[in-house]
Coordinates of all heavy atoms in Angstrom, one line a residue:
M286 N 12.9 17.8 -7.7 CA 13.2 16.4 -7.8 C 12.0 15.7 -7.2 O 11.4 16.0 -6.2 CB 14.4 16.1 -6.9 CG 14.9 14.7 -7.1 SD 16.6 14.7 -6.3 CE 16.5 13.0 -5.7
R287 N 11.6 14.6 -7.9 CA 10.4 13.8 -7.5 C 10.8 12.9 -6.4 O 11.9 12.3 -6.4 CB 9.9 13.0 -8.7 CG 9.3 13.9 -9.8 CD 8.9 13.1 -10.9 NE 7.9 12.1 -10.6 CZ 7.4 11.2 -11.4 NH1 7.7 11.3 -12.7 NH2 6.5 10.3 -11.0
K288 N 9.9 12.7 -5.5 CA 10.0 11.8 -4.4 C 9.8 10.4 -4.9 O 8.8 10.2 -5.7 CB 9.0 12.1 -3.3 CG 8.9 11.2 -2.2 CD 7.8 11.6 -1.3 CE 7.6 10.5 -0.2 NZ 6.5 10.9 0.7
V289 N 10.6 9.5 -4.5 CA 10.4 8.1 -4.9 C 9.8 7.4 -3.7 O 10.3 7.4 -2.6 CB 11.8 7.4 -5.3 CG1 11.6 5.9 -5.6 CG2 12.4 8.1 -6.5
C290 N 8.6 6.8 -4.0 CA 7.9 6.1 -2.9 C 7.3 4.8 -3.4 O 6.9 4.8 -4.6 CB 6.8 7.0 -2.3 SG 6.0 6.4 -0.9
Q291 N 7.2 3.8 -2.6 CA 6.6 2.6 -2.9 C 5.6 2.2 -1.8 O 5.9 2.5 -0.6 CB 7.6 1.5 -3.2 CG 8.4 1.7 -4.4 CD 9.5 0.7 -4.6 OE1 10.3 0.4 -3.6 NE2 9.6 0.1 -5.7
I292 N 4.6 1.5 -2.2 CA 3.7 0.9 -1.2 C 3.7 -0.6 -1.3 O 3.5 -1.1 -2.4 CB 2.2 1.5 -1.4 CG1 2.2 2.9 -1.1 CG2 1.2 0.7 -0.5 CD1 0.9 3.6 -1.2
F293 N 4.0 -1.2 -0.2 CA 4.0 -2.7 -0.1 C 2.8 -3.2 0.6 O 2.5 -2.8 1.7 CB 5.3 -3.2 0.6 CG 6.6 -2.8 -0.1 CD1 7.2 -1.6 0.1 CD2 7.1 -3.8 -0.9 CE1 8.3 -1.3 -0.6 CE2 8.3 -3.5 -1.6 CZ 8.9 -2.2 -1.4
V294 N 2.1 -4.1 -0.1 CA 0.8 -4.7 0.5 C 1.1 -6.2 0.7 O 1.4 -6.9 -0.2 CB -0.3 -4.5 -0.5 CG1 -1.6 -5.1 0.1 CG2 -0.5 -3.0 -0.9
C295 N 0.8 -6.6 1.9 CA 0.9 -8.1 2.2 C -0.4 -8.7 1.7 O -1.5 -8.3 2.1 CB 1.1 -8.3 3.7 SG 1.3 -10.1 4.1
A296 N -0.2 -9.7 0.9 CA -1.3 -10.5 0.4 C -1.0 -12.0 0.5 O -1.5 -12.8 -0.4 CB -1.6 -10.1 -1.0
T297 N -0.3 -12.4 1.5 CA 0.1 -13.8 1.6 C -1.1 -14.6 1.8 O -1.9 -14.4 2.8 CB 1.1 -13.9 2.8 OG1 2.2 -13.1 2.6 CG2 1.6 -15.4 3.0
P298 N -1.3 -15.7 1.0 CA -2.4 -16.5 1.1 C -2.3 -17.5 2.3 O -1.2 -17.7 2.8 CB -2.5 -17.3 -0.2 CG -1.1 -17.3 -0.6 CD -0.5 -16.0 -0.2
G299 N -3.4 -18.0 2.8 CA -3.4 -18.9 3.9 C -4.4 -18.5 5.0 O -4.6 -17.3 5.2
E300 N -4.9 -19.4 5.7 CA -5.8 -19.1 6.8 C -5.2 -18.2 7.8 O -4.2 -18.4 8.3 CB -6.3 -20.4 7.4 CG -7.4 -20.2 8.4 CD -7.9 -21.5 9.0 OE1 -7.7 -22.6 8.4 OE2 -8.4 -21.5 10.1
G301 N -6.0 -17.1 8.1 CA -5.5 -16.2 9.1 C -4.5 -15.2 8.6 O -4.1 -14.3 9.4
R302 N -4.0 -15.3 7.4 CA -3.0 -14.4 6.9 C -3.6 -13.2 6.1 O -4.8 -13.2 5.9 CB -2.0 -15.2 6.0 CG -1.2 -16.2 6.8 CD -0.2 -16.9 5.9 NE 0.6 -17.8 6.7 CZ 1.7 -18.2 6.4 NH1 2.3 -17.8 5.2 NH2 2.4 -19.0 7.2
C303 N -2.8 -12.3 5.7 CA -3.3 -11.0 5.1 C -4.1 -11.3 3.8 O -5.1 -10.6 3.6 CB -2.1 -10.1 4.8 SG -1.4 -9.4 6.3
G304 N -3.7 -12.3 3.1 CA -4.4 -12.6 1.8 C -5.9 -13.0 2.1 O -6.8 -12.6 1.4
A305 N -6.0 -13.8 3.2 CA -7.4 -14.3 3.6 C -8.2 -13.2 4.2 O -9.4 -13.3 4.3 CB -7.3 -15.4 4.5
K306 N -7.5 -12.1 4.5 CA -8.2 -10.9 5.2 C -8.4 -9.8 4.2 O -8.7 -8.7 4.5 CB -7.4 -10.4 6.4 CG -7.3 -11.4 7.5 CD -6.5 -10.9 8.6 CE -6.4 -11.9 9.8 NZ -5.6 -11.4 10.9
G307 N -8.2 -10.1 2.9 CA -8.5 -9.1 1.8 C -7.3 -8.4 1.3 O -7.4 -7.5 0.5
G308 N -6.1 -8.9 1.6 CA -4.8 -8.3 1.1 C -4.7 -8.3 -0.4 O -4.3 -7.3 -1.0
G309 N -5.2 -9.4 -1.1 CA -5.1 -9.4 -2.5 C -6.0 -8.4 -3.2 O -5.6 -7.7 -4.1
E310 N -7.2 -8.2 -2.6 CA -8.1 -7.2 -3.1 C -7.5 -5.8 -2.9 O -7.6 -4.9 -3.7 CB -9.5 -7.3 -2.5 CG -10.2 -8.6 -2.9 CD -9.8 -9.8 -2.1 OE1 -9.0 -9.7 -1.2 OE2 -10.3 -10.9 -2.5
L311 N -6.9 -5.6 -1.7 CA -6.3 -4.3 -1.4 C -5.2 -4.0 -2.4 O -5.0 -2.8 -2.8 CB -5.8 -4.3 0.0 CG -6.8 -4.1 1.1 CD1 -6.2 -4.3 2.5 CD2 -7.5 -2.8 1.1
F312 N -4.4 -5.0 -2.7 CA -3.3 -4.8 -3.6 C -3.8 -4.2 -5.0 O -3.3 -3.3 -5.5 CB -2.6 -6.2 -3.9 CG -1.5 -6.1 -4.9 CD1 -0.3 -5.5 -4.7 CD2 -1.7 -6.7 -6.1 CE1 0.7 -5.5 -5.7 CE2 -0.8 -6.7 -7.1 CZ 0.4 -6.1 -6.9
E313 N -4.9 -4.8 -5.5 CA -5.4 -4.4 -6.7 C -6.0 -3.0 -6.6 O -5.9 -2.1 -7.5 CB -6.5 -5.3 -7.2 CG -6.0 -6.7 -7.7 CD -4.9 -6.6 -8.7 OE1 -5.0 -5.7 -9.6 OE2 -4.0 -7.4 -8.7
M314 N -6.7 -2.7 -5.5 CA -7.2 -1.4 -5.2 C -6.1 -0.3 -5.2 O -6.3 0.8 -5.7 CB -8.0 -1.3 -3.9 CG -9.3 -2.1 -4.0 SD -10.2 -2.1 -2.5 CE -10.8 -0.4 -2.5
F315 N -5.0 -0.6 -4.5 CA -3.9 0.4 -4.4 C -3.4 0.6 -5.8 O -3.1 1.8 -6.2 CB -2.8 -0.1 -3.5 CG -3.0 0.2 -2.1 CD1 -3.4 -0.7 -1.2 CD2 -2.7 1.5 -1.7 CE1 -3.5 -0.4 0.2 CE2 -2.8 1.8 -0.3 CZ -3.2 0.9 0.6
R316 N -3.2 -0.4 -6.7 CA -2.7 -0.2 -8.0 C -3.7 0.7 -8.8 O -3.2 1.6 -9.6 CB -2.5 -1.5 -8.7 CG -1.3 -2.3 -8.1 CD -1.0 -3.6 -8.6 NE -0.6 -3.6 -10.0 CZ 0.7 -3.7 -10.4 NH1 1.6 -3.7 -9.5 NH2 1.0 -3.7 -11.6
E317 N -5.0 0.5 -8.7 CA -5.9 1.3 -9.4 C -5.9 2.7 -8.9 O -6.0 3.7 -9.7 CB -7.3 0.7 -9.3 CG -7.5 -0.6 -10.0 CD -8.8 -1.3 -9.6 OE1 -9.7 -0.7 -9.0 OE2 -9.0 -2.5 -10.0
E318 N -5.8 2.9 -7.6 CA -5.8 4.3 -7.0 C -4.6 5.1 -7.5 O -4.7 6.3 -7.8 CB -5.9 4.2 -5.5 CG -6.1 5.5 -4.8 CD -7.5 6.1 -5.0 OE1 -8.4 5.4 -5.4 OE2 -7.6 7.3 -4.8
V319 N -3.4 4.5 -7.5 CA -2.2 5.2 -7.9 C -2.3 5.7 -9.3 O -1.8 6.7 -9.7 CB -0.9 4.5 -7.6 CG1 -0.8 4.2 -6.1 CG2 -0.7 3.3 -8.4
E320 N -2.9 4.9 -10.2 CA -3.1 5.2 -11.6 C -3.9 6.5 -11.7 O -3.7 7.3 -12.6 CB -3.7 4.1 -12.4 CG -2.7 3.0 -12.7 CD -3.2 2.0 -13.7 OE1 -4.2 1.3 -13.3 OE2 -2.7 1.9 -14.8
R321 N -4.9 6.7 -10.8 CA -5.7 7.9 -10.9 C -4.9 9.1 -10.7 O -5.2 10.2 -11.1 CB -6.8 7.8 -9.8 CG -7.9 6.8 -10.1 CD -8.9 6.7 -9.0 NE -8.8 7.8 -8.0 CZ -9.8 8.5 -7.6 NH1 -11.0 8.3 -8.1 NH2 -9.6 9.5 -6.7
Y322 N -3.7 9.0 -10.0 CA -2.8 10.1 -9.8 C -1.7 10.2 -10.8 O -0.8 11.0 -10.7 CB -2.2 10.0 -8.4 CG -3.1 10.3 -7.3 CD1 -3.8 9.3 -6.6 CD2 -3.2 11.6 -6.8 CE1 -4.7 9.7 -5.6 CE2 -4.1 12.0 -5.8 CZ -4.8 11.0 -5.2 OH -5.7 11.3 -4.2
G323 N -1.8 9.4 -11.8 CA -0.8 9.4 -12.9 C 0.5 8.7 -12.5 O 1.5 9.0 -13.1
V324 N 0.5 7.9 -11.4 CA 1.6 7.2 -10.9 C 1.6 5.8 -11.4 O 0.5 5.2 -11.4 CB 1.7 7.3 -9.4 CG1 2.9 6.5 -8.9 CG2 1.7 8.7 -8.9
A325 N 2.7 5.3 -11.9 CA 2.7 3.9 -12.4 C 2.3 2.9 -11.3 O 2.7 3.0 -10.2 CB 4.1 3.5 -12.9
P326 N 1.4 1.9 -11.7 CA 1.0 0.9 -10.8 C 2.1 0.1 -10.2 O 2.0 -0.5 -9.2 CB 0.0 0.1 -11.5 CG 0.2 0.4 -13.0 CD 0.9 1.7 -13.0
S327 N 3.3 0.1 -10.9 CA 4.4 -0.7 -10.4 C 5.0 -0.1 -9.1 O 5.8 -0.8 -8.5 CB 5.5 -0.8 -11.5 OG 5.9 0.5 -11.8
T328 N 4.5 1.0 -8.6 CA 4.9 1.5 -7.3 C 4.3 0.8 -6.2 O 4.7 1.0 -5.0 CB 4.6 3.1 -7.2 OG1 3.2 3.3 -7.3 CG2 5.4 3.9 -8.2
V329 N 3.3 0.0 -6.5 CA 2.6 -0.8 -5.5 C 3.1 -2.3 -5.7 O 2.9 -2.8 -6.8 CB 1.1 -0.8 -5.6 CG1 0.4 -1.6 -4.6 CG2 0.6 0.7 -5.5
L330 N 3.6 -2.8 -4.6 CA 4.2 -4.2 -4.7 C 3.6 -5.1 -3.7 O 3.2 -4.7 -2.6 CB 5.7 -4.1 -4.5 CG 6.5 -3.2 -5.5 CD1 7.9 -2.9 -5.0 CD2 6.5 -3.8 -6.9
R331 N 3.6 -6.4 -4.0 CA 3.2 -7.4 -3.0 C 4.4 -7.6 -2.0 O 5.6 -7.7 -2.5 CB 2.9 -8.7 -3.6 CG 1.6 -8.8 -4.4 CD 1.3 -10.2 -4.9 NE 0.2 -10.2 -5.7 CZ -1.1 -10.4 -5.3 NH1 -1.3 -10.6 -4.1 NH2 -2.0 -10.3 -6.2
N332 N 4.1 -7.5 -0.8 CA 5.1 -7.7 0.2 C 5.2 -9.1 0.7 O 4.2 -9.8 0.7 CB 4.8 -6.8 1.4 CG 5.9 -6.6 2.4 OD1 7.0 -6.3 2.0 ND2 5.6 -6.8 3.7
A333 N 6.4 -9.6 1.0 CA 6.6 -10.9 1.6 C 5.9 -10.9 3.0 O 5.8 -9.8 3.6 CB 8.1 -11.2 1.8
C334 N 5.6 -12.0 3.5 CA 4.9 -12.1 4.8 C 5.8 -11.5 5.9 O 6.9 -11.7 6.0 CB 4.6 -13.6 5.1 SG 3.7 -13.8 6.7
T335 N 5.1 -10.6 6.7 CA 5.8 -9.9 7.8 C 5.6 -10.6 9.1 O 6.0 -10.1 10.1 CB 5.4 -8.5 7.9 OG1 4.0 -8.4 8.1 CG2 5.7 -7.7 6.6
R336 N 4.8 -11.7 9.1 CA 4.4 -12.5 10.3 C 3.7 -11.6 11.3 O 3.8 -11.8 12.5 CB 5.7 -13.1 10.9 CG 6.4 -14.0 10.0 CD 7.3 -14.9 10.9 NE 7.8 -16.1 10.2 CZ 7.1 -17.2 9.9 NH1 5.8 -17.2 10.0 NH2 7.7 -18.2 9.3
R337 N 2.9 -10.7 10.8 CA 2.0 -9.9 11.6 C 0.6 -10.2 11.3 O -0.3 -9.3 11.2 CB 2.3 -8.4 11.4 CG 3.8 -8.0 11.7 CD 4.1 -6.6 11.3 NE 3.5 -5.7 12.2 CZ 3.7 -4.4 12.1 NH1 4.5 -3.9 11.2 NH2 3.1 -3.6 13.0
H338 N 0.3 -11.5 11.2 CA -1.0 -12.0 10.8 C -2.2 -11.4 11.6 O -3.2 -11.0 11.1 CB -1.1 -13.5 10.9 CG 0.1 -14.2 10.3 ND1 0.5 -14.0 9.0 CD2 0.9 -15.1 10.8 CE1 1.5 -14.8 8.8 NE2 1.8 -15.5 9.8
E339 N -2.0 -11.2 12.9 CA -3.1 -10.7 13.8 C -3.4 -9.3 13.5 O -4.4 -8.8 13.8 CB -2.7 -10.9 15.2 CG -1.6 -10.0 15.8 CD -0.2 -10.5 15.4 OE1 0.0 -11.6 14.8 OE2 0.8 -9.7 15.6
E340 N -2.5 -8.5 12.8 CA -2.7 -7.1 12.5 C -3.1 -6.9 11.0 O -3.2 -5.8 10.6 CB -1.4 -6.3 12.7 CG -1.0 -6.4 14.2 CD 0.3 -5.7 14.4 OE1 1.3 -5.8 13.6 OE2 0.4 -5.0 15.4
G341 N -3.2 -8.0 10.2 CA -3.4 -7.8 8.8 C -4.8 -7.4 8.4 O -5.8 -7.5 9.2
P342 N -4.9 -7.0 7.2 CA -3.9 -6.8 6.2 C -2.9 -5.7 6.6 O -3.3 -4.6 7.1 CB -4.6 -6.4 4.9 CG -6.0 -6.8 5.1 CD -6.3 -6.7 6.6
V343 N -1.6 -5.9 6.2 CA -0.6 -4.9 6.6 C -0.1 -4.2 5.3 O 0.1 -4.9 4.3 CB 0.6 -5.7 7.3 CG1 1.7 -4.7 7.6 CG2 0.1 -6.3 8.6
V344 N 0.1 -2.9 5.4 CA 0.6 -2.1 4.3 C 1.8 -1.3 4.8 O 1.8 -0.8 5.9 CB -0.5 -1.2 3.7 CG1 0.1 -0.2 2.7 CG2 -1.6 -2.0 3.1
F345 N 2.9 -1.2 4.0 CA 4.1 -0.4 4.4 C 4.4 0.6 3.3 O 4.4 0.2 2.1 CB 5.2 -1.4 4.6 CG 6.6 -0.8 4.8 CD1 6.8 -0.1 6.0 CD2 7.6 -0.8 3.9 CE1 8.0 0.5 6.3 CE2 8.8 -0.2 4.1 CZ 9.0 0.4 5.4
A346 N 4.6 1.8 3.7 CA 5.0 2.9 2.8 C 6.5 3.1 2.9 O 7.0 3.4 4.0 CB 4.3 4.1 3.0
Y347 N 7.3 3.0 1.8 CA 8.7 3.2 1.8 C 9.0 4.4 0.9 O 8.4 4.5 -0.2 CB 9.4 1.9 1.2 CG 10.9 2.1 1.0 CD1 11.7 1.9 2.0 CD2 11.3 2.5 -0.3 CE1 13.1 2.1 1.8 CE2 12.7 2.6 -0.5 CZ 13.6 2.4 0.6 OH 14.9 2.6 0.4
P348 N 9.9 5.2 1.2 CA 10.8 5.2 2.3 C 10.3 6.0 3.5 O 11.1 6.2 4.5 CB 12.1 6.0 1.7 CG 11.4 7.0 0.8 CD 10.2 6.3 0.3
D349 N 9.0 6.3 3.6 CA 8.5 7.0 4.7 C 8.5 6.2 6.0 O 8.3 6.8 7.1 CB 7.0 7.4 4.4 CG 7.0 8.4 3.2 OD1 8.0 9.0 2.9 OD2 5.9 8.5 2.5
D350 N 8.7 4.9 5.9 CA 8.8 4.0 7.1 C 7.5 4.1 7.9 O 7.5 4.3 9.1 CB 10.0 4.3 7.9 CG 10.3 3.2 8.9 OD1 9.9 2.1 8.7 OD2 10.9 3.5 10.0
V351 N 6.4 4.0 7.2 CA 5.1 4.1 7.9 C 4.4 2.7 7.6 O 4.2 2.3 6.5 CB 4.2 5.2 7.4 CG1 2.8 5.2 8.0 CG2 4.9 6.6 7.6
W352 N 4.0 2.1 8.7 CA 3.2 0.8 8.7 C 1.8 1.1 9.0 O 1.4 1.8 9.9 CB 3.8 -0.1 9.7 CG 5.1 -0.7 9.4 CD1 6.3 -0.1 9.7 CD2 5.4 -1.9 8.8 NE1 7.3 -0.9 9.3 CE2 6.8 -2.0 8.7 CE3 4.6 -2.9 8.2 CZ2 7.4 -3.1 8.1 CZ3 5.2 -4.0 7.6 CH2 6.6 -4.1 7.6
Y353 N 0.9 0.4 8.2 CA -0.5 0.5 8.4 C -1.0 -0.9 8.7 O -0.6 -1.9 8.0 CB -1.3 1.0 7.2 CG -0.9 2.4 6.9 CD1 0.1 2.7 6.0 CD2 -1.6 3.5 7.5 CE1 0.4 4.1 5.7 CE2 -1.3 4.8 7.2 CZ -0.3 5.1 6.3 OH 0.1 6.4 6.0
T354 N -1.9 -1.1 9.7 CA -2.4 -2.4 10.1 C -3.9 -2.4 10.0 O -4.5 -1.3 10.0 CB -2.0 -2.8 11.5 OG1 -2.4 -1.8 12.4 CG2 -0.5 -2.9 11.6
R355 N -4.5 -3.6 9.8 CA -5.9 -3.7 9.7 C -6.5 -2.8 8.6 O -7.5 -2.1 8.8 CB -6.6 -3.5 11.0 CG -6.2 -4.6 12.0 CD -6.8 -4.4 13.4 NE -6.4 -5.3 14.3 CZ -5.2 -5.2 15.0 NH1 -4.4 -4.2 14.9 NH2 -4.9 -6.2 15.9
V356 N -5.8 -2.7 7.5 CA -6.2 -1.8 6.4 C -7.5 -2.3 5.7 O -7.7 -3.5 5.5 CB -5.1 -1.7 5.3 CG1 -5.5 -0.8 4.2 CG2 -3.8 -1.2 6.0
T357 N -8.4 -1.3 5.5 CA -9.6 -1.6 4.8 C -9.7 -0.9 3.5 O -8.9 0.0 3.2 CB -10.8 -1.2 5.7 OG1 -10.8 0.3 5.7 CG2 -10.8 -1.7 7.1
P358 N -10.6 -1.3 2.6 CA -10.7 -0.6 1.3 C -10.9 0.9 1.5 O -10.5 1.7 0.6 CB -11.9 -1.3 0.6 CG -11.9 -2.7 1.2 CD -11.5 -2.5 2.6
E359 N -11.6 1.3 2.5 CA -11.9 2.7 2.7 C -10.6 3.5 3.0 O -10.5 4.7 2.9 CB -12.8 2.9 3.9 CG -14.2 2.4 3.6 CD -14.4 0.9 3.7 OE1 -13.6 0.2 4.4 OE2 -15.3 0.4 3.0
D360 N -9.5 2.8 3.5 CA -8.2 3.4 3.8 C -7.4 3.7 2.6 O -6.5 4.6 2.7 CB -7.4 2.5 4.8 CG -8.1 2.3 6.1 OD1 -8.8 3.2 6.6 OD2 -8.0 1.2 6.6
V361 N -7.6 3.0 1.5 CA -6.7 3.1 0.3 C -6.6 4.5 -0.2 O -5.4 5.0 -0.4 CB -7.2 2.1 -0.8 CG1 -6.4 2.3 -2.1 CG2 -7.1 0.7 -0.3
P362 N -7.6 5.3 -0.5 CA -7.4 6.6 -1.0 C -6.6 7.5 -0.1 O -5.7 8.3 -0.6 CB -8.8 7.2 -1.2 CG -9.7 6.0 -1.3 CD -9.1 4.9 -0.4
E363 N -6.8 7.5 1.2 CA -6.1 8.3 2.1 C -4.6 7.9 2.1 O -3.7 8.8 2.1 CB -6.6 8.2 3.5 CG -5.9 9.1 4.5 CD -6.5 9.0 5.9 OE1 -7.6 8.5 6.1 OE2 -5.8 9.4 6.8
I364 N -4.3 6.7 2.1 CA -2.9 6.2 2.1 C -2.2 6.7 0.9 O -1.0 7.2 0.9 CB -2.8 4.7 2.4 CG1 -3.3 4.3 3.8 CG2 -1.4 4.2 2.1 CD1 -3.5 2.8 4.0
V365 N -2.8 6.5 -0.3 CA -2.2 6.9 -1.5 C -2.0 8.4 -1.5 O -1.0 8.9 -1.9 CB -3.1 6.5 -2.7 CG1 -2.6 7.1 -4.0 CG2 -3.1 4.9 -2.8
E366 N -3.0 9.2 -1.1 CA -2.9 10.6 -1.1 C -1.7 11.0 -0.2 O -0.9 11.9 -0.6 CB -4.2 11.2 -0.5 CG -4.1 12.7 -0.3 CD -4.1 13.5 -1.6 OE1 -4.6 13.0 -2.6 OE2 -3.6 14.7 -1.6
R367 N -1.6 10.4 0.9 CA -0.5 10.8 1.9 C 0.9 10.5 1.3 O 1.8 11.3 1.5 CB -0.7 10.1 3.2 CG 0.3 10.4 4.2 CD 0.0 9.8 5.6 NE -1.2 10.4 6.1 CZ -2.0 9.8 7.0 NH1 -1.6 8.6 7.5 NH2 -3.0 10.4 7.4
H368 N 1.1 9.4 0.6 CA 2.4 9.0 0.3 C 2.7 9.1 -1.2 O 3.9 9.3 -1.5 CB 2.6 7.5 0.7 CG 2.5 7.3 2.2 ND1 3.5 7.7 3.0 CD2 1.5 6.8 2.9 CE1 3.1 7.5 4.3 NE2 1.9 6.9 4.2
L369 N 1.8 8.9 -2.1 CA 2.1 8.9 -3.5 C 1.6 10.2 -4.3 O 2.2 10.5 -5.3 CB 1.6 7.7 -4.2 CG 2.2 6.4 -3.7 CD1 1.6 5.2 -4.4 CD2 3.7 6.4 -3.9
A370 N 0.6 10.9 -3.8 CA 0.2 12.0 -4.6 C 1.3 13.1 -4.8 O 1.3 13.7 -5.8 CB -1.1 12.6 -3.9
P371 N 2.2 13.3 -3.8 CA 3.3 14.2 -4.1 C 4.2 13.9 -5.2 O 4.9 14.7 -5.7 CB 4.1 14.2 -2.8 CG 3.1 13.8 -1.7 CD 2.2 12.8 -2.5
M372 N 4.1 12.6 -5.7 CA 4.9 12.2 -6.9 C 4.3 12.7 -8.2 O 5.0 12.6 -9.2 CB 5.0 10.7 -6.9 CG 5.7 10.1 -5.8 SD 5.7 8.3 -5.8 CE 6.4 7.9 -7.4
R373 N 3.1 13.2 -8.2 CA 2.6 13.7 -9.5 C 3.5 14.7 -10.2 O 4.1 15.6 -9.5 CB 1.2 14.3 -9.3 CG 0.1 13.3 -8.9 CD -1.2 14.0 -8.7 NE -1.0 14.9 -7.6 CZ -2.1 15.5 -7.0 NH1 -3.3 15.3 -7.4 NH2 -1.9 16.3 -6.0
V374 N 3.5 14.7 -11.4 CA 4.3 15.6 -12.2 C 3.5 16.9 -12.4 O 2.4 16.8 -13.0 CB 4.8 15.0 -13.5 CG1 5.6 16.1 -14.3 CG2 5.6 13.8 -13.3
E375 N 4.0 18.0 -11.9 CA 3.3 19.3 -12.1 C 3.6 19.8 -13.5 O 4.7 19.8 -14.0 CB 3.8 20.3 -11.1 CG 3.5 19.9 -9.7 CD 2.1 19.6 -9.3 OE1 1.2 20.4 -9.8 OE2 1.8 18.8 -8.5
S376 N 2.5 20.2 -14.2 CA 2.7 20.7 -15.6 C 2.7 22.2 -15.6 O 2.3 22.9 -14.7 CB 1.7 20.1 -16.5 OG 0.4 20.2 -16.0

């Protein structure tokens, strides 16, 4: 049985919020990275503001219940590998 997992990326616009700290760019990077694993980009979703602006950009992996703060582009491949790579269909 395949594991169902989603990654939520906060990209809320506004001064000091995740969007202003690169959340929008991270959202696109996550979608591109999951496609490399053959996983639908729809597994990456924009998250509603979590009011954790000082820790942004914030990323949440569901259902693993893992929060990532101050996420950078360099973190994207590792987060995808940890949470979504197991979803690949083995042939």
